[in-house]
Amino acid sequence: MKEPFNTLEFKDEELLLIDQRLLPAKFEIFVAKDYKDIEFSIRDMVVRGAPAIGATAAYGVYFALKEFSNNENEFYKACDFINSSRPTAINLKWAIDRMIKKYQENKDKENVLDLLKNEAIDIQNEDIITNKKIGDNGLSLIPQNATILTHCNAGALATAGWGTALGVIKTAFYNDKNIFVYADETRPRQQGARLTAWELTQAKIPSKLIADSVAATLIRDGKIDLVVLGADRIATNGDVCNKIGTFGLSVICKQYGVPFYSAAPVSTIDFNIESGSQIPIEERDKNEVRFVGETQVAPLEMDVYNPAFDVTPHQNVTAIITEKGVIYPPFKENIQKLKEQL
Amino acid sequence: MKEPFNTLEFKDEELLLIDQRLLPAKFEIFVAKDYKDIEFSIRDMVVRGAPAIGATAAYGVYFALKEFSNNENEFYKACDFINSSRPTAINLKWAIDRMIKKYQENKDKENVLDLLKNEAIDIQNEDIITNKKIGDNGLSLIPQNATILTHCNAGALATAGWGTALGVIKTAFYNDKNIFVYADETRPRQQGARLTAWELTQAKIPSKLIADSVAATLIRDGKIDLVVLGADRIATNGDVCNKIGTFGLSVICKQYGVPFYSAAPVSTIDFNIESGSQIPIEERDKNEVRFVGETQVAPLEMDVYNPAFDVTPHQNVTAIITEKGVIYPPFKENIQKLKEQL
């Protein structure tokens, strides 16, 4: 089972990205030719989703080494620049660190550039394999005839392919589970409306789109059997940082006894932090809320608070679905055990 | 203290309405000349907000009588047609019933048409007086230096003037309370972004606009001292039907001990129903979610669930602020007492 599209594709020394700013109205390819294009594509959200950002950044490090093969200082500066594109998702740093490690281990070799290119390709391909495993591991958590709520886009478009949360949903669907999906539109950037809805219709999974504030009533009325969504960073106590709106959903789920799952690769876990309070929350441009596309929806003089993420406390998380298995509470102990196995 | 604009203005036998579909990008007047224009203006949300709908509908009944002064049957059919424009807000029916009662009491009089015109003018003017009283009654609930969250638009634009929830906020502001307001944008029609933000900037009340899903984190983090919002219909047990998103907010407020107030005229209470489960919830056009203005935000083939309202159980409501005073729990008993005083 493969997606009919490639979120990112490395070809003839260029990285081809589906321009996710334009979906679903337009399908266009953004061509990144150097590390600056890569930084822009992440910052401006041509590509988004923690794992997809990681894989994209890996190619950025390769582009940077190609440009600065004779100037290590400039190479590291370029890596820092790519890393500065977005602050919250840890996979960005994880991928850059892995690429830099590869460079440092091989910098005296003649073929170091090829090795880095292959490392980026590996990161991309491994992500798809990882996501299929996440899907397989999540399968038993999806009951037959389940109605599932998801938030934002944790699909093929958020990863190198297949997806994390939406990967679990697809795996269930292709394993003949008769499921129905509600997709939150996910203001302000509407990744749910634009991207998840697009993936769901492409895959012909029965589904409906809702405004974010509809979810609470559906959960209260017993119309949602479980919530599954992605993660941009997970602390070692199990706190999950994800798209703004995730926390509110988790409170409603907790109140009404609905299972709440985060699906993410192990690379999303930040082993350096003990709780979600240590995760920097990105604040994005105020005009993301004042405008939708070209349409003005608020007075220009109205001030805006536009955080891109929030932190869901581990007490509200039923389980975290990873490629290494499903992590249940107590998260602190079980994430520590996972770390020791890596 | 008066608004620098009139939500509705009756002039030269026409009802002039601010076209709220176009704010804040454009300020245009919609001219309603007959009862069909009135029905359209309510259905298409040229005018919205339960009290504003009521006052507008009252003029519609007057227009209907003018058109069908010799055909009572057609007059009643026209009244039914106006009443069918939107199903949830009870003030619509309340205003039409009041107009019909006036007609029935005076139908044999030569000046019945003038009496109905004056009744509509009375309904409009009384609403402004009512809202000022709601503001006065709510004043003591707003602490000095309060940060207030509101949802949707329950302002001057939702009423004949001043507003209910936003009226309480304005009354506090003009009584030298140093307040700060967060306004939910309120998808899908964005009455918060388009209308509340417009009123707040017009009144120069310190404020910020947020995406709906930001509110939960602000409440959790202790950044909101109270929530005040309107109501479209209130059951006799205190259940509050209001704009979609209200219920979810109420759960978060309850969880974190933040007072949750609904401000509405007594005409919003439906004395014929015992609980919110009896309130019909309007489902609106799917394209309200697929498009924002001209901008497409979801695939056209994606199905949508688009309820306009939800019901907040009385257990989550701290108090209901009316022109007759603040109603506290137990709501069933206290709403009954209020009814006996009317």
Short mmCIF file of all heavy atoms in Angstrom, two decimals, chain A residues 117-170:
data_model
loop_
_atom_site.label_atom_id
_atom_site.label_comp_id
_atom_site.label_asym_id
_atom_site.label_seq_id
_atom_site.Cartn_x
_atom_site.Cartn_y
_atom_site.Cartn_z
N LYS A 117 24.42 12.28 1.59
CA LYS A 117 23.25 12.14 0.74
C LYS A 117 22.50 10.85 1.08
O LYS A 117 21.27 10.85 1.25
CB LYS A 117 23.67 12.11 -0.74
CG LYS A 117 22.49 12.20 -1.69
CD LYS A 117 22.83 11.70 -3.10
CE LYS A 117 23.83 12.60 -3.79
NZ LYS A 117 23.97 12.26 -5.24
N ASN A 118 23.27 9.78 1.23
CA ASN A 118 22.63 8.50 1.56
C ASN A 118 21.99 8.51 2.95
O ASN A 118 20.95 7.89 3.17
CB ASN A 118 23.66 7.36 1.47
CG ASN A 118 23.99 7.06 0.01
OD1 ASN A 118 23.15 7.27 -0.87
ND2 ASN A 118 25.20 6.60 -0.24
N GLU A 119 22.62 9.23 3.86
CA GLU A 119 22.05 9.32 5.21
C GLU A 119 20.68 10.01 5.16
O GLU A 119 19.72 9.59 5.83
CB GLU A 119 23.00 10.08 6.15
CG GLU A 119 22.61 10.04 7.62
CD GLU A 119 22.91 8.68 8.28
OE1 GLU A 119 23.42 7.77 7.60
OE2 GLU A 119 22.60 8.54 9.48
N ALA A 120 20.59 11.08 4.35
CA ALA A 120 19.30 11.78 4.21
C ALA A 120 18.26 10.86 3.58
O ALA A 120 17.11 10.79 4.04
CB ALA A 120 19.48 13.05 3.37
N ILE A 121 18.69 10.13 2.55
CA ILE A 121 17.77 9.17 1.91
C ILE A 121 17.33 8.11 2.93
O ILE A 121 16.16 7.74 2.99
CB ILE A 121 18.44 8.53 0.66
CG1 ILE A 121 18.64 9.60 -0.42
CG2 ILE A 121 17.61 7.36 0.13
CD1 ILE A 121 19.55 9.18 -1.58
N ASP A 122 18.28 7.67 3.75
CA ASP A 122 17.95 6.69 4.80
C ASP A 122 16.91 7.25 5.77
O ASP A 122 15.96 6.56 6.14
CB ASP A 122 19.20 6.29 5.59
CG ASP A 122 20.06 5.29 4.82
OD1 ASP A 122 19.63 4.84 3.74
OD2 ASP A 122 21.17 4.98 5.30
N ILE A 123 17.15 8.48 6.20
CA ILE A 123 16.20 9.10 7.16
C ILE A 123 14.81 9.12 6.55
O ILE A 123 13.82 8.78 7.21
CB ILE A 123 16.69 10.52 7.56
CG1 ILE A 123 17.89 10.41 8.51
CG2 ILE A 123 15.55 11.33 8.20
CD1 ILE A 123 18.54 11.73 8.87
N GLN A 124 14.74 9.51 5.28
CA GLN A 124 13.44 9.56 4.60
C GLN A 124 12.81 8.16 4.53
O GLN A 124 11.65 7.97 4.92
CB GLN A 124 13.63 10.13 3.19
CG GLN A 124 12.34 10.22 2.40
CD GLN A 124 12.55 10.73 0.98
OE1 GLN A 124 13.67 11.09 0.61
NE2 GLN A 124 11.49 10.75 0.21
N ASN A 125 13.58 7.19 4.06
CA ASN A 125 13.01 5.85 3.89
C ASN A 125 12.67 5.19 5.22
O ASN A 125 11.65 4.50 5.35
CB ASN A 125 13.97 4.97 3.09
CG ASN A 125 14.04 5.41 1.63
OD1 ASN A 125 13.11 6.03 1.13
ND2 ASN A 125 15.15 5.12 0.98
N GLU A 126 13.55 5.39 6.20
CA GLU A 126 13.28 4.81 7.52
C GLU A 126 11.99 5.36 8.10
O GLU A 126 11.28 4.66 8.82
CB GLU A 126 14.44 5.13 8.48
CG GLU A 126 15.70 4.32 8.22
CD GLU A 126 16.89 4.86 9.02
OE1 GLU A 126 16.67 5.59 10.02
OE2 GLU A 126 18.04 4.58 8.63
N ASP A 127 11.71 6.64 7.79
CA ASP A 127 10.50 7.24 8.35
C ASP A 127 9.24 6.52 7.85
O ASP A 127 8.31 6.28 8.60
CB ASP A 127 10.43 8.74 8.03
CG ASP A 127 9.27 9.41 8.74
OD1 ASP A 127 9.16 9.25 9.97
OD2 ASP A 127 8.46 10.07 8.07
N ILE A 128 9.26 6.17 6.57
CA ILE A 128 8.09 5.45 6.04
C ILE A 128 7.95 4.09 6.72
O ILE A 128 6.86 3.70 7.16
CB ILE A 128 8.22 5.28 4.50
CG1 ILE A 128 8.28 6.67 3.83
CG2 ILE A 128 7.04 4.47 3.95
CD1 ILE A 128 8.58 6.64 2.35
N ILE A 129 9.08 3.39 6.87
CA ILE A 129 9.06 2.08 7.55
C ILE A 129 8.57 2.25 9.00
O ILE A 129 7.72 1.49 9.48
CB ILE A 129 10.47 1.44 7.50
CG1 ILE A 129 10.84 1.12 6.05
CG2 ILE A 129 10.53 0.19 8.38
CD1 ILE A 129 12.31 0.85 5.82
N THR A 130 9.11 3.27 9.65
CA THR A 130 8.70 3.58 11.03
C THR A 130 7.19 3.78 11.11
O THR A 130 6.52 3.25 12.01
CB THR A 130 9.44 4.86 11.50
OG1 THR A 130 10.82 4.55 11.62
CG2 THR A 130 8.91 5.36 12.82
N ASN A 131 6.65 4.55 10.17
CA ASN A 131 5.23 4.86 10.22
C ASN A 131 4.36 3.63 9.98
O ASN A 131 3.31 3.47 10.61
CB ASN A 131 4.89 5.95 9.20
CG ASN A 131 5.52 7.27 9.58
OD1 ASN A 131 5.80 7.51 10.75
ND2 ASN A 131 5.78 8.12 8.60
N LYS A 132 4.83 2.75 9.10
CA LYS A 132 4.08 1.50 8.89
C LYS A 132 4.06 0.69 10.19
O LYS A 132 3.04 0.07 10.53
CB LYS A 132 4.74 0.67 7.78
CG LYS A 132 4.69 1.36 6.43
CD LYS A 132 3.39 1.07 5.69
CE LYS A 132 3.37 1.79 4.36
NZ LYS A 132 2.85 1.01 3.27
N LYS A 133 5.18 0.70 10.91
CA LYS A 133 5.23 -0.02 12.19
C LYS A 133 4.30 0.63 13.21
O LYS A 133 3.64 -0.06 14.00
CB LYS A 133 6.67 -0.04 12.73
CG LYS A 133 7.54 -1.07 12.06
CD LYS A 133 8.90 -1.15 12.76
CE LYS A 133 9.89 -1.95 11.94
NZ LYS A 133 11.28 -1.62 12.27
N ILE A 134 4.28 1.96 13.22
CA ILE A 134 3.35 2.66 14.12
C ILE A 134 1.92 2.24 13.80
O ILE A 134 1.13 1.94 14.70
CB ILE A 134 3.53 4.20 13.99
CG1 ILE A 134 4.88 4.64 14.57
CG2 ILE A 134 2.38 4.94 14.70
CD1 ILE A 134 5.22 6.11 14.32
N GLY A 135 1.62 2.18 12.51
CA GLY A 135 0.28 1.75 12.10
C GLY A 135 -0.03 0.34 12.59
O GLY A 135 -1.11 0.08 13.14
N ASP A 136 0.94 -0.56 12.42
CA ASP A 136 0.73 -1.95 12.86
C ASP A 136 0.54 -2.01 14.37
O ASP A 136 -0.32 -2.74 14.87
CB ASP A 136 1.93 -2.82 12.45
CG ASP A 136 2.01 -2.99 10.93
OD1 ASP A 136 0.99 -2.74 10.25
OD2 ASP A 136 3.09 -3.34 10.43
N ASN A 137 1.36 -1.23 15.08
CA ASN A 137 1.27 -1.26 16.55
C ASN A 137 -0.03 -0.65 17.05
O ASN A 137 -0.51 -1.00 18.13
CB ASN A 137 2.47 -0.53 17.16
CG ASN A 137 3.76 -1.30 16.97
OD1 ASN A 137 3.74 -2.51 16.74
ND2 ASN A 137 4.89 -0.61 17.03
N GLY A 138 -0.58 0.28 16.28
CA GLY A 138 -1.83 0.93 16.71
C GLY A 138 -3.07 0.13 16.34
O GLY A 138 -4.15 0.39 16.88
N LEU A 139 -2.90 -0.82 15.45
CA LEU A 139 -4.07 -1.52 14.89
C LEU A 139 -4.99 -2.11 15.96
O LEU A 139 -6.22 -1.96 15.88
CB LEU A 139 -3.59 -2.62 13.93
CG LEU A 139 -4.67 -3.39 13.17
CD1 LEU A 139 -5.52 -2.46 12.31
CD2 LEU A 139 -4.03 -4.47 12.30
N SER A 140 -4.40 -2.72 16.98
CA SER A 140 -5.23 -3.39 17.99
C SER A 140 -5.99 -2.39 18.87
O SER A 140 -6.90 -2.77 19.60
CB SER A 140 -4.37 -4.29 18.87
OG SER A 140 -3.48 -3.49 19.62
N LEU A 141 -5.60 -1.11 18.79
CA LEU A 141 -6.29 -0.10 19.60
C LEU A 141 -7.54 0.44 18.89
O LEU A 141 -8.30 1.20 19.47
CB LEU A 141 -5.34 1.07 19.90
CG LEU A 141 -4.06 0.69 20.66
CD1 LEU A 141 -3.15 1.91 20.79
CD2 LEU A 141 -4.40 0.14 22.04
N ILE A 142 -7.72 0.08 17.64
CA ILE A 142 -8.87 0.57 16.86
C ILE A 142 -9.93 -0.53 16.82
O ILE A 142 -9.77 -1.53 16.12
CB ILE A 142 -8.46 0.91 15.40
CG1 ILE A 142 -7.18 1.77 15.37
CG2 ILE A 142 -9.62 1.57 14.66
CD1 ILE A 142 -7.33 3.16 15.90
N PRO A 143 -11.03 -0.37 17.56
CA PRO A 143 -12.07 -1.40 17.54
C PRO A 143 -12.78 -1.43 16.18
O PRO A 143 -12.75 -0.45 15.43
CB PRO A 143 -13.06 -0.94 18.62
CG PRO A 143 -12.39 0.17 19.36
CD PRO A 143 -11.36 0.74 18.44
N GLN A 144 -13.37 -2.56 15.87
CA GLN A 144 -14.22 -2.65 14.68
C GLN A 144 -15.34 -1.62 14.82
O GLN A 144 -15.84 -1.39 15.93
CB GLN A 144 -14.78 -4.08 14.56
CG GLN A 144 -15.54 -4.36 13.27
CD GLN A 144 -14.77 -4.01 11.99
OE1 GLN A 144 -14.78 -2.86 11.53
NE2 GLN A 144 -14.10 -4.99 11.41
N ASN A 145 -15.71 -0.95 13.73
CA ASN A 145 -16.78 0.06 13.69
C ASN A 145 -16.47 1.31 14.50
O ASN A 145 -17.39 2.02 14.93
CB ASN A 145 -18.11 -0.53 14.16
CG ASN A 145 -18.52 -1.73 13.33
OD1 ASN A 145 -18.45 -1.70 12.11
ND2 ASN A 145 -18.91 -2.80 14.00
N ALA A 146 -15.21 1.58 14.73
CA ALA A 146 -14.85 2.75 15.54
C ALA A 146 -15.08 4.05 14.79
O ALA A 146 -14.85 4.13 13.58
CB ALA A 146 -13.38 2.65 15.96
N THR A 147 -15.54 5.05 15.51
CA THR A 147 -15.52 6.42 15.01
C THR A 147 -14.35 7.13 15.68
O THR A 147 -14.24 7.15 16.91
CB THR A 147 -16.84 7.14 15.28
OG1 THR A 147 -17.88 6.44 14.60
CG2 THR A 147 -16.80 8.57 14.75
N ILE A 148 -13.48 7.69 14.84
CA ILE A 148 -12.19 8.20 15.30
C ILE A 148 -12.12 9.70 15.04
O ILE A 148 -12.49 10.16 13.96
CB ILE A 148 -11.04 7.51 14.54
CG1 ILE A 148 -11.15 5.97 14.68
CG2 ILE A 148 -9.69 8.02 15.00
CD1 ILE A 148 -10.27 5.21 13.70
N LEU A 149 -11.65 10.44 16.03
CA LEU A 149 -11.42 11.88 15.82
C LEU A 149 -9.92 12.11 15.70
O LEU A 149 -9.13 11.57 16.47
CB LEU A 149 -11.97 12.67 17.01
CG LEU A 149 -11.71 14.18 17.00
CD1 LEU A 149 -12.51 14.88 15.91
CD2 LEU A 149 -12.05 14.81 18.36
N THR A 150 -9.52 12.92 14.72
CA THR A 150 -8.12 13.34 14.65
C THR A 150 -8.04 14.85 14.50
O THR A 150 -9.02 15.50 14.12
CB THR A 150 -7.35 12.60 13.53
OG1 THR A 150 -5.94 12.89 13.67
CG2 THR A 150 -7.80 13.02 12.14
N HIS A 151 -6.89 15.38 14.83
CA HIS A 151 -6.69 16.83 14.86
C HIS A 151 -5.44 17.13 14.06
O HIS A 151 -4.48 16.37 14.07
CB HIS A 151 -6.52 17.27 16.32
CG HIS A 151 -6.48 18.75 16.54
ND1 HIS A 151 -7.59 19.56 16.36
CD2 HIS A 151 -5.48 19.58 16.92
CE1 HIS A 151 -7.26 20.81 16.64
NE2 HIS A 151 -5.98 20.85 16.97
N CYS A 152 -5.45 18.24 13.34
CA CYS A 152 -4.32 18.64 12.51
C CYS A 152 -4.05 17.56 11.46
O CYS A 152 -4.96 16.79 11.11
CB CYS A 152 -3.07 18.92 13.35
SG CYS A 152 -1.81 19.88 12.43
N ASN A 153 -2.86 17.52 10.90
CA ASN A 153 -2.51 16.48 9.94
C ASN A 153 -1.28 15.74 10.43
O ASN A 153 -0.20 16.34 10.56
CB ASN A 153 -2.24 17.07 8.55
CG ASN A 153 -1.74 16.01 7.58
OD1 ASN A 153 -0.54 15.82 7.42
ND2 ASN A 153 -2.65 15.27 6.98
N ALA A 154 -1.46 14.48 10.76
CA ALA A 154 -0.35 13.60 11.09
C ALA A 154 -0.39 12.46 10.09
O ALA A 154 -0.38 11.29 10.44
CB ALA A 154 -0.44 13.12 12.53
N GLY A 155 -0.48 12.83 8.81
CA GLY A 155 -0.63 11.87 7.74
C GLY A 155 0.62 11.74 6.90
O GLY A 155 1.72 12.12 7.33
N ALA A 156 0.44 11.21 5.69
CA ALA A 156 1.56 11.08 4.77
C ALA A 156 2.22 12.43 4.52
O ALA A 156 3.44 12.53 4.39
CB ALA A 156 1.08 10.49 3.44
N LEU A 157 1.41 13.48 4.50
CA LEU A 157 1.94 14.82 4.21
C LEU A 157 2.77 15.37 5.38
O LEU A 157 3.53 16.31 5.21
CB LEU A 157 0.80 15.78 3.90
CG LEU A 157 0.08 15.56 2.56
CD1 LEU A 157 -1.22 16.34 2.52
CD2 LEU A 157 0.99 15.98 1.39
N ALA A 158 2.59 14.81 6.56
CA ALA A 158 3.33 15.28 7.73
C ALA A 158 4.60 14.48 7.95
O ALA A 158 5.35 14.73 8.89
CB ALA A 158 2.45 15.18 8.97
N THR A 159 4.81 13.50 7.08
CA THR A 159 5.92 12.56 7.25
C THR A 159 6.55 12.30 5.88
O THR A 159 6.13 12.90 4.88
CB THR A 159 5.39 11.21 7.81
OG1 THR A 159 4.45 10.67 6.86
CG2 THR A 159 4.68 11.40 9.15
N ALA A 160 7.50 11.40 5.84
CA ALA A 160 8.03 11.01 4.53
C ALA A 160 7.02 10.17 3.76
O ALA A 160 7.14 10.01 2.55
CB ALA A 160 9.32 10.23 4.73
N GLY A 161 6.01 9.68 4.46
CA GLY A 161 4.96 8.90 3.82
C GLY A 161 4.17 8.10 4.85
O GLY A 161 4.64 7.86 5.95
N TRP A 162 2.95 7.73 4.48
CA TRP A 162 2.03 6.92 5.29
C TRP A 162 1.42 7.70 6.45
O TRP A 162 0.20 7.76 6.59
CB TRP A 162 2.68 5.63 5.82
CG TRP A 162 1.67 4.62 6.28
CD1 TRP A 162 1.46 4.20 7.57
CD2 TRP A 162 0.71 3.94 5.48
NE1 TRP A 162 0.43 3.29 7.61
CE2 TRP A 162 -0.05 3.11 6.33
CE3 TRP A 162 0.40 3.95 4.10
CZ2 TRP A 162 -1.09 2.31 5.87
CZ3 TRP A 162 -0.63 3.15 3.65
CH2 TRP A 162 -1.36 2.34 4.54
N GLY A 163 2.27 8.31 7.29
CA GLY A 163 1.73 9.09 8.40
C GLY A 163 1.81 8.36 9.71
O GLY A 163 2.03 7.15 9.77
N THR A 164 1.64 9.13 10.79
CA THR A 164 1.68 8.56 12.14
C THR A 164 0.24 8.30 12.60
O THR A 164 -0.26 7.18 12.48
CB THR A 164 2.44 9.50 13.09
OG1 THR A 164 1.86 10.81 13.01
CG2 THR A 164 3.91 9.59 12.70
N ALA A 165 -0.45 9.33 13.10
CA ALA A 165 -1.84 9.14 13.54
C ALA A 165 -2.72 8.70 12.37
O ALA A 165 -3.49 7.75 12.47
CB ALA A 165 -2.37 10.42 14.16
N LEU A 166 -2.58 9.39 11.25
CA LEU A 166 -3.39 9.02 10.08
C LEU A 166 -2.90 7.69 9.51
O LEU A 166 -3.66 6.97 8.86
CB LEU A 166 -3.32 10.15 9.04
CG LEU A 166 -4.49 10.28 8.07
CD1 LEU A 166 -5.84 10.21 8.74
CD2 LEU A 166 -4.36 11.59 7.27
N GLY A 167 -1.64 7.37 9.77
CA GLY A 167 -1.11 6.05 9.40
C GLY A 167 -1.83 4.94 10.16
O GLY A 167 -2.17 3.90 9.59
N VAL A 168 -2.05 5.17 11.46
CA VAL A 168 -2.81 4.19 12.26
C VAL A 168 -4.21 4.03 11.67
O VAL A 168 -4.72 2.91 11.51
CB VAL A 168 -2.88 4.64 13.74
CG1 VAL A 168 -3.84 3.74 14.54
CG2 VAL A 168 -1.50 4.65 14.38
N ILE A 169 -4.82 5.16 11.32
CA ILE A 169 -6.17 5.13 10.74
C ILE A 169 -6.17 4.38 9.41
O ILE A 169 -7.03 3.53 9.15
CB ILE A 169 -6.70 6.58 10.59
CG1 ILE A 169 -7.00 7.18 11.96
CG2 ILE A 169 -7.92 6.63 9.66
CD1 ILE A 169 -7.29 8.68 11.97
N LYS A 170 -5.17 4.66 8.56
CA LYS A 170 -5.10 3.98 7.26
C LYS A 170 -4.87 2.49 7.43
O LYS A 170 -5.46 1.67 6.73
CB LYS A 170 -3.96 4.58 6.42
CG LYS A 170 -4.29 5.91 5.80
CD LYS A 170 -3.08 6.41 5.02
CE LYS A 170 -3.21 7.88 4.73
NZ LYS A 170 -1.96 8.46 4.22
#
